[in-house]
Amino acid sequence: MPLVATGDLVTRAVARHGAVAAFNVITLEHIEAVVAAAETAGTPVILQVSENAVKFHGWRLAPLAAAAVQSAEPSTVPVALHLDHVKTGELLREAADRGFSSVMFDAAHLPYAENVAATREATAWAHSAGLWLEAELGEVGGKDGRGPLPAHAPGARTEPGEARRFVEETGVDALAVAIGSSHAMTSRDARLDHELLAALRGALDVPLVLHGSSGVPDDELRRAVRGGIAKVNIGTALSIAMTAAVRAHLAGDERTVDPRSYLAAGRGAIIETAGRLLPTIAAATAA
Ligand code: G3H
Ligand code: ZN
């Protein structure tokens, strides 16, 4: 089926007190694997392309976006396309013409007033272009190779009162919250602050997004969804699975030269990992 809107998938997830998984895709194989996993699981899915992935492709958004649009077309489950962690205005404005229905605008590294000003402007533009906009307040650590923020560092947790003001002042459609997860974790032992999540859920009337979910174990993910997380972002878990499979494949046969053999192994590993996470996230619906 043709791409659906991220906002619709998230609204549907909120209505059933559940969440939708959003996977970061870097290559065509990621896209193929995530769509295949969602079809097998019978769940909707969001394909998301980060600004870092666009940078990897020489700042060309169109090829990967076109691959996502074309791969979603024959899918038997709803697939949405989201542009993730956008910091540059040029890239933000390209989203509307490439099949994206939503953008995460990331100004979380800026002081509060500057984050508000930049996010308000991005939201106004996104809404004029018919896009759903997610922003971040309080910074989820581990971005761009930096380590996790210490739990008590300023901004390492989203403060509910400030978040309420931020949503009112910017008009965002969804908010990424810092509640203890961190980007690029290669171990699954993050512990989330569920009390803080409950306070944020009570203070805000927009869907909440969990970033850095690769480091969050299944039980914590289920609890977070039951506690009000509506979109679960996962990237590193796919990289871990893909790279391990490619490494094992190449180590197993030093004569390998055809990239299809190891890319098939990598793609298969992504299907397996996404296929395990999708039902965990989708099934974590509150009673
Ligand atoms: O926006 C993307 C996610 O926050 C991915 O984080 O790579 O740690 O799973 P992760
Ligand atoms: Zn993120």
Side-chain angles (χ1 to χ4, degrees):
M1 63 182 77
L3 283 172
V4 299
T6 301
D8 291 347
L9 291 188
V10 174
T11 301
R12 261 145 63 184
V14 169
R16 63 175 181 81
H17 305 288
V20 57
F23 291 101
N24 285 84
V25 294
I26 304 170
T27 68
L28 174 60
E29 287 71 24
H30 283 80
I31 294 170
E32 292 170 337
V34 170
V35 172
E39 286 186 308
T40 302
T43 61
V45 75
I46 298 169
L47 298 172
Q48 55 187 15
V49 179
S50 72
E51 183 169 293
N52 283 340
V54 179
K55 186 175 171 192
F56 167 72
H57 289 291
W59 288 106
R60 285 184 294 274
L61 177 61
L64 201 61
V69 172
Q70 295 299 321
S71 302
E73 188 76 33
S75 165
T76 54
V77 293
V79 179
L81 187 55
H82 175 82
L83 195 55
D84 196 30
H85 284 293
V86 174
K87 288 184 176 158
T88 60
E90 295 82 354
L91 184 61
L92 174 71
R93 282 168 177 75
E94 226 190 306
D97 301 326
R98 303 285 182 214
F100 294 85
S101 55
S102 58
V103 178
M104 187 271 189
F105 181 73
D106 188 351
H109 53 290
L110 298 175
Y112 178 82
E114 291 173 44
N115 187 356
V116 167
T119 303
R120 187 197 286 134
E121 192 187 328
T123 307
W125 174 81
H127 289 172
S128 73
L131 301 182
W132 182 95
L133 191 126
E134 170 191 333
E136 179 174 327
L137 180 71
E139 193 170 6
V140 180
K143 291 175 192 168
D144 298 326
R146 295 192 302 272
L149 294 170
H152 299 293
R157 295 287 184 272
T158 307
E159 199 280 308
E162 192 176 64
R164 194 185 170 90
R165 222 168 54 242
F166 183 83
V167 169
E168 280 165 11
E169 290 175 345
T170 58
V172 295
D173 300 295
L175 190 68
V177 289
I179 57 169
S181 60
S182 188
H183 289 91
M185 284 180 67
T186 52
S187 59
R188 294 188 80 202
D189 52 7
R191 290 287 144 200
L192 302 178
D193 186 338
H194 297 281
E195 260 181 49
L196 175 58
L197 175 58
L200 287 161
R201 183 61 291 156
L204 303 172
D205 57 6
V206 292
L208 304 182
V209 181
L210 187 67
H211 280 244
S213 307
S214 294
V216 182
D218 286 349
D219 58 331
E220 285 283 276
L221 277 181
R222 287 193 198 94
R223 211 175 146 193
V225 174
R226 286 197 298 268
I229 291 292
K231 176 172 175 274
V232 176
N233 283 15
I234 298 162
T236 303
L238 304 189
S239 298
I240 293 170
M242 183 189 206
T243 302
V246 170
R247 186 176 285 129
H249 185 90
L250 292 174
D253 185 355
E254 286 189 1
R255 291 162 310 165
T256 297
V257 290
D258 188 338
R260 285 171 293 195
S261 64
Y262 57 84
L263 288 176
R267 184 175 54 192
I270 295 177
I271 294 176
E272 208 179 297
T273 300
R276 188 175 41 72
L277 287 162
L278 276 160
T280 304
I281 292 159
T285 306

